[in-house]
Amino acid sequence: MSRTEAGDLGTRFRIYENAAWYRGDGAHAYITELKAQLARCGAGGDEEGFDPLAEDHLGPDTVLFLGTYDEGDRYVGYVAAAVGHYVVVVMMSDSYLGAADLTTLNGLASAAMSRAAA
């Protein structure tokens, strides 16, 4: 079971939020594997791919990473978190500069985590 929401934050940012329910320890296992894949396959600099930035920055089982595009000139910010049986992923894109506001993204992810915990 999952749900996805999307919306605009002003005229500049587009936000997507997905919350998916997992059985047993599935949410924790998902984030653990995501962290491992980011560590093994992270791209940075002028590469395209995913660039890990922080682990457990909003609490246990959280990760902040970038999806980089256009040879590293544009990026989308992601926060993924395991909250109980849920995996919550919040993504932010920027239509002007091609760079997400990571402080705002972390605040939106924290709010999404609180909703999933309730």
Side-chain angles (χ1 to χ4, degrees):
M1 170 175 65
S2 71
R3 71 163 176 79
T4 301
E5 302 276 335
D8 294 324
L9 184 60
T11 59
R12 181 173 172 179
F13 297 109
R14 184 78 176 157
I15 310 299
Y16 296 90
E17 177 186 320
N18 179 269
W21 185 87
Y22 287 80
R23 289 186 183 135
D25 197 32
H28 171 76
Y30 181 99
I31 296 298
T32 299
E33 181 57 27
L34 175 60
K35 288 177 181 180
Q37 286 182 4
L38 287 168
R40 284 191 307 269
C41 305
D46 61 356
E47 297 179 58
E48 294 187 5
F50 295 97
D51 187 16
L53 296 180
E55 291 186 7
D56 302 326
H57 68 298
L58 297 176
D61 294 323
T62 63
V63 63
L64 170 66
F65 60 102
L66 302 177
T68 57
Y69 308 95
D70 295 336
E71 298 178 348
D73 290 336
R74 289 185 330 108
Y75 65 85
V76 173
Y78 296 87
V79 172
V83 180
H85 288 284
Y86 289 93
V87 170
V88 176
V89 179
V90 180
M91 183 275 271
M92 174 185 263
S93 63
D94 178 341
S95 61
Y96 295 143
L97 300 177
D101 178 332
L102 300 182
T103 301
T104 301
L105 173 60
N106 281 328
L108 293 168
S110 291
M113 292 167 59
S114 293
R115 285 190 299 276

